[in-house]
Amino acid sequence: APQQLQQQQQLVEENATLLQELSSLGQSAERVESTLLEISGLTQAFSSEIQRQSEAIEALYEEAVVVTGNFSAGNVELGKAKEWNRQGGRYTVVIIVLAALTLLFFDWFYG
């Protein structure tokens, strides 16, 4: 009987130790689950931010393409304006010379 009582006491202590270990494992599992849920949320937020930044980069690229086209068209127009200005200067010189010659002719004719 004393040996049986000692065995029962030992079993009760082992059961208490096992229960404490299982409880500790359960708490650890809950912490791991909580951490995994947090990681999952952060991964989702990170993925959403990457998607938003990707769309912003795509919009910037499209704007850069448009701006490049505008620069090319602007350069063509500047070339046309430069040529127009060059030709306009020639016409101005010709008109001034003709006007001066006309004045000289009228001065000579009426003078």
Side-chain angles (χ1 to χ4, degrees):
Q3 194 176 20
Q4 237 181 358
L5 196 59
Q6 191 178 16
Q7 284 179 347
Q8 280 181 340
Q9 182 67 28
Q10 193 176 14
L11 283 174
V12 167
E13 288 173 4
E14 286 177 7
N15 282 342
T17 303
L18 286 173
L19 183 63
Q20 189 177 16
E21 287 177 9
L22 283 176
S23 175
S24 175
L25 283 174
Q27 290 172 351
S28 294
E30 288 174 0
R31 284 193 302 270
V32 167
E33 180 184 14
S34 173
T35 302
L36 287 175
L37 288 173
E38 186 177 343
I39 289 171
S40 175
L42 291 173
T43 301
Q44 180 64 31
F46 182 71
S47 176
S48 296
E49 185 63 22
I50 292 292
Q51 178 65 29
R52 188 188 66 76
Q53 288 181 358
S54 175
E55 291 168 359
I57 289 170
E58 182 66 28
L60 286 172
Y61 173 76
E62 289 173 4
E63 287 178 20
V65 168
V66 169
V67 167
T68 301
N70 289 343
F71 270 116
S72 295
N75 284 338
V76 168
E77 290 301 317
L78 282 174
K80 288 178 184 177
K82 184 178 176 182
E83 185 61 31
W84 178 262
N85 197 16
R86 188 177 298 143
Q87 289 176 358
R90 288 183 192 143
Y91 290 133
T92 304
V93 169
V94 169
I95 290 172
I96 290 173
V97 168
L98 286 175
L101 290 174
T102 303
L103 285 174
L104 286 173
F105 173 75
F106 284 133
D107 184 51
W108 171 78
F109 187 74
Y110 292 111

